[in-house]
Amino acid sequence: MFNNSFIFGPAVMKTLTFTSLLLLCICLPAHSETLDIQVMADFVPQDGGNPENEATTFLLAAAAELGDEISLHFIPASRLREWQQLRKMNNVCLYNKLKTPQREVHAVFSQYPLMAFPSNKLVVFNKPTIPDAITLLQAIYYYDLTIGVTKGRSYSEEIDKFVSLNDEHFFILDGATNAPRLGQMLFQNKIDAVLE
């Protein structure tokens, strides 16, 4: 089945959020200049609109709580460009990224996640014969599904490896609006399922 490494209940999430904010406050020097943090994301609040994921909502709430001590600036970026911008800019924050030796050269990975994401789910539309619980192996070989995935997103080390070894069964979409586009393609029956 699909599981991420970090899944916490509401009480643990409140504790993690409070602890993260407390640590961030302690780490910032008293009476210092505002710390400017650039966040590479699909969501850019300067252009209006509401955040569509909990991690962005969490970052905005943390910034509001800290007031003038930090300033978040969201920069639109494709998944591929994020790592290039990380090397070129100071104080860049990326989240939900898989830790690899190559990436450790350019980034510091936090011990604990900023946000706990729910388990991966295989979202299937208009396929009533598919059971409620199946493995990816069954999905592609027994049910012959074409599954949409977002390029550059980490679904977990095990699932990422499975996708790369069986990429002919996956529709891999790149771009800043890839997740909503995959949803549209699913409801238009252009793909059979989406890994989300």
Side-chain angles (χ1 to χ4, degrees), residues 69-135:
E69 294 182 57
I70 67 167
S71 171
L72 295 179
H73 183 71
F74 287 78
I75 299 170
S78 73
R79 302 282 179 187
L80 291 177
R81 282 192 0 239
E82 287 177 350
W83 290 100
Q84 295 170 353
Q85 290 171 319
L86 182 69
R87 292 192 294 270
K88 294 177 184 175
M89 298 174 156
N90 295 323
N91 300 324
V92 171
C93 174
L94 307 180
Y95 53 86
N96 196 29
K97 301 298 179 219
L98 187 65
K99 183 177 179 179
T100 67
Q102 297 82 7
R103 290 176 174 180
E104 282 185 290
V105 173
H106 305 288
V108 175
F109 287 80
S110 60
Q111 182 179 359
Y112 300 105
L114 283 177
M115 189 66 210
F117 287 86
S119 303
N120 289 313
K121 291 182 173 47
L122 186 66
V123 181
V124 181
F125 176 69
N126 204 19
K127 302 277 183 202
T129 59
I130 306 261
D132 289 340
I134 62 171
T135 65

Side-chain angles (χ1 to χ4, degrees), residues 130-177:
I130 306 261
D132 289 340
I134 62 171
T135 65
L136 278 179
L137 194 64
Q138 292 170 324
I140 64 174
Y141 288 111
Y142 184 76
Y143 293 99
D144 195 30
L145 299 182
T146 300
I147 301 169
V149 294
T150 300
K151 186 172 185 174
R153 179 180 289 179
S154 174
Y155 293 95
S156 77
E157 188 171 0
E158 184 179 340
I159 293 175
D160 293 344
K161 184 177 180 181
F162 183 86
V163 170
S164 68
L165 293 173
N166 299 281
D167 62 349
E168 68 275 9
H169 296 279
F170 291 88
F171 183 81
I172 303 170
L173 187 62
D174 190 15
T177 59

